[in-house]
């Protein structure tokens, strides 16, 4: 028999003896001794109740610790109450240890997931039916160009159409949104039920670079096809014109009585030949656009790169009367790049700025380097020229499009292709009569 059973038996036996003695004394000795024994009986009954209720108290304490997730409680062994109570306390402690371990694993998993959400480059945000933000990561702040967001309606100040789009976007659907910073965001929505509440989860991904790459690939393919077809058509024409010129000079001119007509015919043939060769030269000029060699990457010091280009162009800038300045705010930065290709891009952009300043008084070109974020450096080429109108601004990176009388329309397209091959971006900002700024954004080593 266990200690607990023996203890209960002895307490009941003692209570029975006390009750019997109390009845006997009440009859023989009177009321006062009987009352004393009754008090003793009450004390013994309370002791028995308290002793039996210890199990309920332990169970209540155990359930409360689970309810309030307080798993620091420990149940000590009850040696005086027997083996069954020691086993009960041991089971209580093991269950609490299991809950403690489960909570620790849950917290570790949540911390792991939160770390992933905070560090991924895809923007993530979630909000409830009223638009209250429940989760947002740094990438979402960066992509939306904001620093805080408490409710989805607050986006109206920076993105007027976006709050309504996000609220109406159904689960599983995608939309493409263009920001004021000319970024193309792919937005995907998913809806989850969290503790009875509907929460919408939004992912934001900048696919501007991918779209540019696809656009570039499309232009390259089109250029290859056009070049092939034009060359196949024009080359026989040039050959036939040469043959016709020989026929006119050798077979027709000596025997005709109309020298003026022969002269006009020869002049027409020369004009056609000249224009045909011009077309061939024009088409061949775009060969570099479709056959750009792969970059030969090395670690390049940004200040040394800009300084070498500046020294190369400085005599030409002075001769053109352009004031030039270079501000190296990121002079210690290194980039992984093909130095020859980047020099070509910088030379092209600075010369474009010079052309834009041709009729500008107090012409000024300012080249500035700075860290746009800890992982990226920006090279800004700023001029105070007449700027670019909005219609042309949307087309300047399209191959063959140019605003110059003698331009080929290939420089900016080729520059953009080079920067994209370096994993960067070439962007432009301009307004009429307020100058133009080209931005080259590259990753640092």
């Amino acid at each position: 028999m266990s200690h607990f059973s023996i203890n209960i038996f002895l307490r009941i036996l003692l209570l029975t003896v006390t009750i019997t003695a109390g009845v006997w004394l009440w009859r023989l000795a009177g009321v006062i001794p009987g009352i004393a024994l009754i008090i003793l009986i009450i004390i013994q009954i309370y002791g028995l109740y308290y002793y039996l209720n210890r199990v309920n108290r332990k169970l209540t304490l155990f359930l409360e610790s689970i309810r309030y997730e307080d798993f620091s409680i420990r149940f000590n062994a009850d040696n005086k109450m027997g083996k069954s109570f020691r086993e009960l306390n041991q089971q209580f402690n093991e269950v609490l240890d299991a809950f403690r371990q489960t909570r620790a694993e849950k917290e570790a998993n949540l911390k792991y997931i939160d770390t992933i959400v905070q560090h991924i480059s895809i923007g993530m945000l979630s909000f409830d039916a009223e638009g209250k933000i429940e989760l947002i990561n740094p990438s979402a702040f960066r992509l939306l160009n904001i620093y805080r967001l408490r409710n989805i309606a607050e986006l109206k100040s920076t993105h007027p159409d976006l709050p309504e789009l996000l609220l109406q976007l159904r689960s599983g659907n995608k939309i493409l949104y263009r920001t004021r910073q000319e970024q193309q965001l792919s937005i995907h929505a998913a809806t989850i039920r969290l503790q009875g509440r509907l929460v919408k989860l939004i992912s934001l991904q900048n696919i501007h670079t991918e779209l540019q790459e696809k656009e570039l690939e499309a232009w390259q393919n089109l250029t290859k096809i056009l070049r092939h077809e034009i060359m196949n058509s024009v080359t026989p024409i040039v050959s036939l014109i040469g043959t016709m010129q020989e026929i006119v000079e050798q077979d027709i001119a000596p025997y005709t009585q109309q020298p003026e007509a022969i002269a006009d015919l020869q002049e027409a043939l020369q004009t056609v030949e000249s224009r045909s060769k011009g077309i061939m030269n024009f088409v061949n000029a775009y060969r570099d656009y479709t056959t750009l060699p792969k970059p030969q990457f090395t670690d390049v010091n940004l200040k040394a790169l800009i300084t070498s280009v500046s020294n190369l162009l400085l005599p030409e800038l002075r001769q053109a009367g352009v004031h030039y300045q270079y501000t190296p705010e990121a002079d210690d930065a290194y980039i992984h790049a093909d130095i020859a290709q980047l020099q070509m891009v910088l030379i092209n952009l600075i010369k474009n700025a010079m052309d834009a300043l041709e009729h500008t008084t107090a012409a000024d070109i300012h080249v500035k380097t700075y860290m746009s974020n800890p992982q990226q450096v920006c090279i800004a080429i700023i001029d105070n020229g007449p700027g670019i109108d909005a219609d042309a601004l949307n087309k300047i990176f399209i191959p063959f499009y140019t605003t110059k009388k003698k331009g080929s329309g290939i420089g900016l397209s080729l520059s953009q292709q080079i920067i994209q091959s370096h994993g960067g971006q070439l962007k432009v900002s301009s307004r009429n009569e307020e100058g133009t700024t080209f931005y080259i954004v590259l990753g640092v080593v």
Side-chain angles (χ1 to χ4, degrees), residues 254-272:
Y255 306 103
T256 184
Q257 302 298 323
Q258 297 178 340
E260 293 181 358
I262 295 299
D264 291 342
L265 179 59
Q266 288 176 331
E267 184 179 353
L269 290 173
Q270 288 175 356
T271 301
V272 174

Side-chain angles (χ1 to χ4, degrees), residues 127 134 171 190-201:
F127 54 90
E134 298 196 355
S171 179
T191 303
I192 58 175
R193 187 172 292 276
L194 186 63
Q195 295 180 342
R197 300 180 299 112
L198 283 177
V199 177
K200 184 175 284 188
L201 181 64

Side-chain angles (χ1 to χ4, degrees), residues 39 64 100 113 124 208 211 215 247 273 302 325:
I39 294 174
E64 285 181 349
R100 190 183 303 113
I113 293 172
M124 300 290 295
H208 183 72
L211 290 177
E215 182 181 8
I247 293 173
E273 181 183 34
L302 191 60
Q325 58 177 326

Side-chain angles (χ1 to χ4, degrees), residues 337-392:
D338 185 316
I339 187 169
Q341 290 189 2
L342 282 191
Q343 284 176 338
M344 183 169 65
V345 171
L346 290 169
I347 290 171
N348 180 58
L349 294 177
I350 294 174
K351 284 192 171 184
N352 282 351
M354 290 174 59
D355 293 339
L357 295 170
E358 185 177 357
H359 302 292
T360 302
T361 57
D364 181 82
I365 295 177
H366 184 192
V367 176
K368 182 168 64 173
T369 60
Y370 58 92
M371 301 298 296
S372 55
N373 62 55
Q375 288 80 37
Q376 288 184 324
V377 67
C378 182
I379 306 171
I381 297 93
I382 309 163
D383 69 61
N384 63 338
I388 306 172
D389 61 68
D391 183 58

Side-chain angles (χ1 to χ4, degrees), residues 129-161:
E130 285 73 35
K132 183 180 178 181
I133 298 297
E134 298 196 355
L135 176 147
I136 186 167
N137 68 349
S139 294
F141 284 123
R142 177 176 53 81
L143 291 172
L144 296 173
N145 197 29
I146 55 177
Y147 66 94
R148 73 173 182 177
L149 187 65
R150 292 169 296 185
N151 193 288
I152 203 71
E154 296 175 3
L155 286 172
K156 287 185 177 179
S157 59
T158 53
H159 306 279
D161 302 329

Side-chain angles (χ1 to χ4, degrees), residues 164-426:
E164 191 68 23
L165 289 174
L166 295 181
L167 289 171
Q168 294 181 355
L169 187 60
R170 294 185 178 182
S171 179
N173 291 352
K174 290 183 180 180
I175 59 171
L176 191 63
Y177 179 78
R178 189 183 187 93
T179 68
R180 291 179 176 179
Q181 290 75 34
E182 300 300 321
Q183 291 182 327
Q184 296 281 358
L185 299 183
S186 175
I187 302 178
H188 183 270
T191 303
I192 58 175
R193 187 172 292 276
L194 186 63
Q195 295 180 342
R197 300 180 299 112
L198 283 177
V199 177
K200 184 175 284 188
L201 181 64
I202 300 293
S203 65
L204 308 167
Q205 188 172 6
N206 183 10
I207 60 171
H208 183 72
T209 301
E210 288 78 2
L211 290 177
Q212 282 187 330
E213 290 176 355
K214 291 296 182 182
E215 182 181 8
L216 176 63
E217 183 181 351
W219 278 115
Q220 287 180 334
N221 292 334
L222 177 61
T223 303
K224 289 178 181 179
I225 294 171
L226 290 176
R227 180 176 175 274
H228 177 76
E229 295 299 326
I230 291 172
M231 292 297 290
N232 284 349
S233 299
V234 175
T235 302
I237 293 175
V238 174
S239 178
L240 286 173
I241 289 173
T243 303
M244 290 176 64
Q245 286 175 332
E246 291 180 0
I247 293 173
V248 170
E249 291 176 0
Q250 297 176 9
D251 299 337
I252 299 177
Y255 306 103
T256 184
Q257 302 298 323
Q258 297 178 340
E260 293 181 358
I262 295 299
D264 291 342
L265 179 59
Q266 288 176 331
E267 184 179 353
L269 290 173
Q270 288 175 356
T271 301
V272 174
E273 181 183 34
S274 175
R275 293 305 302 152
S276 299
K277 288 182 177 180
I279 292 174
M280 293 177 66
N281 293 333
F282 175 83
V283 173
N284 282 326
Y286 292 95
R287 183 178 299 174
D288 291 340
Y289 181 69
T290 57
T291 58
L292 183 69
K294 290 184 179 180
Q296 302 298 315
F297 290 105
T298 58
D299 290 343
V300 179
N301 179 263
L302 191 60
K303 182 179 180 181
L305 172 66
I306 307 297
T307 301
S308 65
V309 173
S310 301
N311 292 336
L312 180 65
L313 295 176
L314 202 55
E316 189 174 349
L317 288 162
R318 288 174 178 171
Q319 185 178 0
V322 177
H323 176 259
Y324 176 83
Q325 58 177 326
Y326 166 45
T327 306
E329 296 180 7
D331 52 353
D332 293 332
Y334 275 81
I335 54 177
H336 199 54
D338 185 316
I339 187 169
Q341 290 189 2
L342 282 191
Q343 284 176 338
M344 183 169 65
V345 171
L346 290 169
I347 290 171
N348 180 58
L349 294 177
I350 294 174
K351 284 192 171 184
N352 282 351
M354 290 174 59
D355 293 339
L357 295 170
E358 185 177 357
H359 302 292
T360 302
T361 57
D364 181 82
I365 295 177
H366 184 192
V367 176
K368 182 168 64 173
T369 60
Y370 58 92
M371 301 298 296
S372 55
N373 62 55
Q375 288 80 37
Q376 288 184 324
V377 67
C378 182
I379 306 171
I381 297 93
I382 309 163
D383 69 61
N384 63 338
I388 306 172
D389 61 68
D391 183 58
L393 196 64
N394 295 326
K395 302 176 182 177
I396 58 174
F397 292 114
I398 296 177
F400 318 132
Y401 178 83
T402 181
T403 57
K404 302 178 185 178
K405 292 182 179 180
K406 298 182 180 180
S408 63
I410 198 64
L412 286 177
S413 301
L414 193 60
S415 297
Q416 186 184 54
Q417 183 180 352
I418 290 172
I419 297 302
Q420 287 181 0
S421 68
H422 283 68
Q425 294 184 52
L426 177 59

Side-chain angles (χ1 to χ4, degrees), residues 35-53:
I35 293 175
L37 283 176
I38 290 173
I39 294 174
L40 180 61
I41 291 170
I42 293 173
I43 293 173
Q44 289 181 355
I45 292 173
Y46 175 77
L48 178 61
Y49 168 79
Y50 181 82
Y51 186 77
L52 292 173
N53 202 42

